[in-house]
């Protein structure tokens, strides 16, 4: 019980600092891409910031693993966290660090009961649009046959890709850019499904609430009718007894 409480306290206390670090990571990831070519000192600082953020999430995972009483079950149920921590070590690409940070932020955000589904979906949409635009711009800007050269082109492409519209005026030409496109398309479909399911669940719960209220009113009317019937019977009995007394 104490270890469970310690783990819950750790997760509660570290959530906001980790989200702040994730924002710092977003800035560090975006600056070298938007301000291209950035000065070497700026690039070094941004890269160091990205690794610091990843290290913070790695320490967070290890601390949660140490505080949980059932470590095997924790590893089994939090395998995405483990993959996100190990991912940047397998091949130290900036894109992999971006993917791992998004995964870890999403996992920690879902643990917060005060974050509503709509807020999470909205944040996911904004995050995917931002990181998708930056990621595709970083790999497509210098491609020989690429047509995504500016941040505006990348943002427009991300919008059309996530919504699965696909006008075709901008499209990735590199293998990594197409992998990013597949991820954005799948994410857009998944988010659309979450929103649709949420709206359907709201309507169903509303209808169920209305049905429950209607059943309650019907039951109350039936009980009232039964009371009126009993009252009439009692009045009729009293009238009959009075008539008998008179006779």
């Amino acid at each position: 019980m104490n270890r469970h409480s310690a783990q819950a306290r750790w997760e509660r206390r570290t959530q906001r600092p980790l989200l702040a670090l994730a924002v710092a990571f977003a800035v560090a990831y975006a600056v070298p891409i938007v301000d291209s070519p950035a000065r070497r000192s700026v690039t070094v600082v941004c890269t160091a910031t990205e690794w610091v953020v990843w290290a913070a999430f790695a320490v967070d995972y290890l601390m949660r693993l140490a505080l949980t009483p059932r470590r095997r079950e924790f590893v089994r149920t939090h395998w995405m966290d483990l993959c996100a921590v190990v991912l940047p070590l397998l091949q130290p690409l900036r894109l992999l660090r971006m993917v791992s940070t998004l995964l870890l932020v999403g996992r920690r955000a879902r643990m917060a009961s005060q974050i509503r589904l709509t807020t999470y979906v909205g944040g996911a949409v904004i995050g995917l649009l931002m990181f998708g635009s930056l990621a595709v711009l970083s790999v497509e800007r210098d491609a020989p046959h690429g047509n995504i050269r500016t941040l505006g082109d990348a943002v427009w492409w991300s919008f059309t890709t996530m919504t699965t519209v696909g006008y075709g005026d901008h499209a990735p030409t590199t293998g990594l850019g197409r992998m990013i496109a597949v991820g954005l398309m799948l994410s857009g479909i998944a988010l659309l499904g979450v929103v649709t399911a949420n709206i359907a669940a709201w309507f169903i719960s509303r209808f169920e609430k209305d049905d429950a209220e209607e059943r309650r009113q019907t039951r109350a009317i039936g009980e009232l009718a039964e009371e009126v019937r009993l009252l009439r019977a009692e009045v009729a009995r009293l009238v009959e007894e009075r008539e008998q007394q008179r006779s």
Side-chain angles (χ1 to χ4, degrees), residues 10-60:
W10 170 267
E11 292 176 351
R12 185 171 59 253
R13 292 175 180 175
T14 57
Q15 180 171 330
R16 289 186 178 180
L18 289 177
L19 290 177
L21 285 174
V23 174
F25 171 87
V27 175
Y29 180 81
V31 167
I33 298 175
V34 176
D35 185 24
S36 180
R39 297 190 301 275
R40 178 174 176 79
S41 58
V42 174
T43 303
V44 171
V45 170
C46 292
T47 303
T49 301
E50 293 174 10
W51 280 110
V52 167
V53 172
W54 170 84
F57 276 105
V59 171
D60 171 69

Side-chain angles (χ1 to χ4, degrees), residues 102-119:
L102 281 178
L103 287 174
L104 290 170
V105 169
R107 296 285 291 179
R108 289 306 302 271
R110 282 195 294 270
M111 293 178 185
S113 58
Q114 69 272 19
I115 297 180
R116 299 179 181 273
L117 179 61
T118 53
T119 303

Side-chain angles (χ1 to χ4, degrees), residues 52-72:
V52 167
V53 172
W54 170 84
F57 276 105
V59 171
D60 171 69
Y61 178 84
L62 294 176
M63 285 297 300
R64 289 158 60 203
L65 179 62
L67 292 174
T68 185
R70 300 178 179 178
R71 293 189 175 89
R72 291 185 178 179

Side-chain angles (χ1 to χ4, degrees), residues 1 3 17 20 22 32 44 54 60 86 89 100 111 116-117 128 143 186-187 197 219 232 239 243:
M1 178 65 69
R3 295 178 72 87
V44 171
W54 170 84
D60 171 69
V86 176
L89 296 179
S100 65
M111 293 178 185
R116 299 179 181 273
L117 179 61
L128 287 171
L186 294 178
S187 301
R219 185 167 58 252
R232 286 180 177 177
V239 170
E243 291 293 334

